[in-house]
Amino acid sequence: MKLNDGLERLRHCASNLAEIFVSIDEMRLVTENGQKRLGMDIRESMTGTPPLVSPSRYLIVTLGGWYLALNAESVCGLLTLEETGNVENLTVHGRVHSALNLADRLSLPDDAGGANTRVVLLSERESRGSIRVSMVQGLLDLQPSQVLPIPLQFRGAERQWYRGMILIAKSVALVLNTTWILNEQVSDLESSGGQEALPGIRRPPELL
Amino acid sequence: MLRTGQKHHRTAVCQPWQLLVFAVGGRRLAVKALEVSGISQWNDSIPVAGRTPFVTAVIRQGQTVLPVFDLAASLHLTVQGSRPLCLRVKHPLGEMAMCIDEEIPVLHVFDPAAIQTYQGKDLPAEGSYTNGLDEIPILSISLLGSTV
C-alpha cells in the first residue's frame, strides 16, 4: 500500500517537479556562491520573477558524509524507504528504475539506511535508475558560472563522473554526471577493473 | 644599450635560486620560491573519488577550490605534527595545494652552481643540493601529478 502511495505521488513527476520536491523538508540551504541572499528554501525557489538568464536547478543530497548535487532535470521522484516497500527495482508507469549503488561506485561509506534516507528516481533519455542517498538537503538554483569546473589535475575517469563543483556551506558539493550514473555498461566495466575499451574514459597516467 | 644588455645578461646568469625548504613526514624537500603562491594552516580536505593517483581531494579557501596533491602518500610518508601547513604551488594546470609538516618552511638562497642532478627516482626533481649529509631534492612542480 505504501508503495502505491508513493507511486501515486510520482504520477505527475515528469510534468511538474515541484509536486515532488515540495515533500522535501524545508531546510535552508546555506550557500556561498556570491549571491546576495545566502539561503534558499524549497518554496521560495518555486516562485518569484525568473531572472533574465534561467539558472539550472540542482538537488543537493548527502551520501557517505559528502555533499553531492544532481541536476534536477534528471530527477523524477523522491521516495522514502517505506514508500518503496523495500522493492529494489521500482516500476513506475511501466518503466523499471533499476537500483544503482552510488556509494559503491564512488567508494563512499554507505550510510543510506537511516530515517532520512531517500530513494532518488533518475531518468535521462531512455535510461532510468534509482539511487539511495542518506539525506536530501534541498534544491539550489545556480547560474552556470556558479558551477566550478573540476580542476584539470583530476585526469582520470572521474572527469566523466562529475560535471563540476558547487560551493555549499563551508564545503563543496560535487555535481554528478547523471549519464555516468545511469550508464550500466560503464559501471560494469569499471567494477571489473577494465577501462581499456571505454570510449571517452582514459586510463589515468602513471605518476612519478 | 649594449652595456646595459651585458649587465642584464650577467645578472641573469649569476642570479641565485631562492628555495623554500619544507618537510613532509620529516623529510626535507625544496621548491623554488617563485613557484610558491602561499602557505597557510591546513584545513580539512574534501575527498573526491577518482582514479588520478595522489589527486584525491580538494580544499576550499574562501571562494577558491584547489586540488590537493598528496605528496606524503606519493613518498610513502605521513605528514607530521598536529597542525600541518598548506603549501600552495603554481602548477601549469592551475594552483594546487599540498599538506606539509607543521615545521615552518625556511627560505634559502643558493648559487645555481651548487645545484646538482638529483639521483633519486621517487619524485620529479629539478635537481638537488647537499646540506651536510643530506641531499635535498628540489621539486619540479610542473611534473607533479603527470607522467615523467
Side-chain angles (χ1 to χ4, degrees), chain A residues 20-35:
Chain A
I20 304 301
F21 293 131
V22 83
S23 66
I24 304 170
D25 294 337
E26 290 189 33
M27 173 180 289
R28 283 197 169 269
L29 197 60
V30 177
T31 68
E32 293 181 9
N33 290 287
Q35 294 170 323

Side-chain angles (χ1 to χ4, degrees), chain A residues 46-85:
Chain A
M46 301 298 173
T47 58
T49 308
L52 291 175
V53 180
S54 88
S56 294
R57 177 166 291 170
Y58 295 93
L59 180 70
I60 309 296
V61 302
T62 49
L63 179 62
W66 293 17
Y67 283 109
L68 299 170
L70 294 156
N71 192 319
E73 286 185 6
S74 303
V75 177
C76 67
L78 288 173
L79 293 170
T80 63
L81 287 179
E82 197 178 27
E83 286 169 336
T84 65

Side-chain angles (χ1 to χ4, degrees), chain A residues 151-199:
Chain A
L152 292 171
Q153 284 88 348
F154 290 95
R155 297 167 167 230
E158 66 273 15
R159 297 206 71 80
Q160 305 292 320
W161 306 355
Y162 310 116
R163 287 293 187 216
M165 303 178 296
I166 295 171
L167 304 183
I168 180 167
K170 290 183 177 177
S171 189
V172 173
L174 292 161
V175 182
L176 292 167
N177 176 4
T178 315
T179 306
W180 171 74
I181 297 174
L182 295 173
N183 192 330
E184 286 291 346
Q185 186 187 16
V186 172
S187 171
D188 292 345
L189 283 168
E190 281 183 351
S191 60
S192 65
Q195 294 181 24
E196 295 83 352
L198 295 178

Side-chain angles (χ1 to χ4, degrees), chain A residues 32 34 66 106 148 151-158 161-162 165 167-172 190 195 204-208, chain B residues 46-55 57-58 60 63 65 67 74 91 93-96 121-122 124 145-148:
Chain A
E32 293 181 9
W66 293 17
L106 291 175
L148 306 174
L152 292 171
Q153 284 88 348
F154 290 95
R155 297 167 167 230
E158 66 273 15
W161 306 355
Y162 310 116
M165 303 178 296
L167 304 183
I168 180 167
K170 290 183 177 177
S171 189
V172 173
E190 281 183 351
Q195 294 181 24
E206 292 180 7
L207 295 187
L208 304 180
Chain B
I46 301 155
V48 176
R51 297 279 167 79
T52 306
F54 309 119
V55 185
V58 294
R60 182 164 167 193
Q63 300 296 303
V65 179
S74 74
H91 189 274
L93 295 177
E95 206 174 356
M96 196 160 68
K121 301 288 182 192
D122 54 345
S146 62
T147 308
V148 174

Side-chain angles (χ1 to χ4, degrees), chain B residues 126-140:
Chain B
E126 295 195 16
S128 67
Y129 70 92
T130 304
N131 183 12
L133 295 174
D134 291 336
E135 182 185 20
I136 298 179
I138 302 163
L139 274 181
S140 175

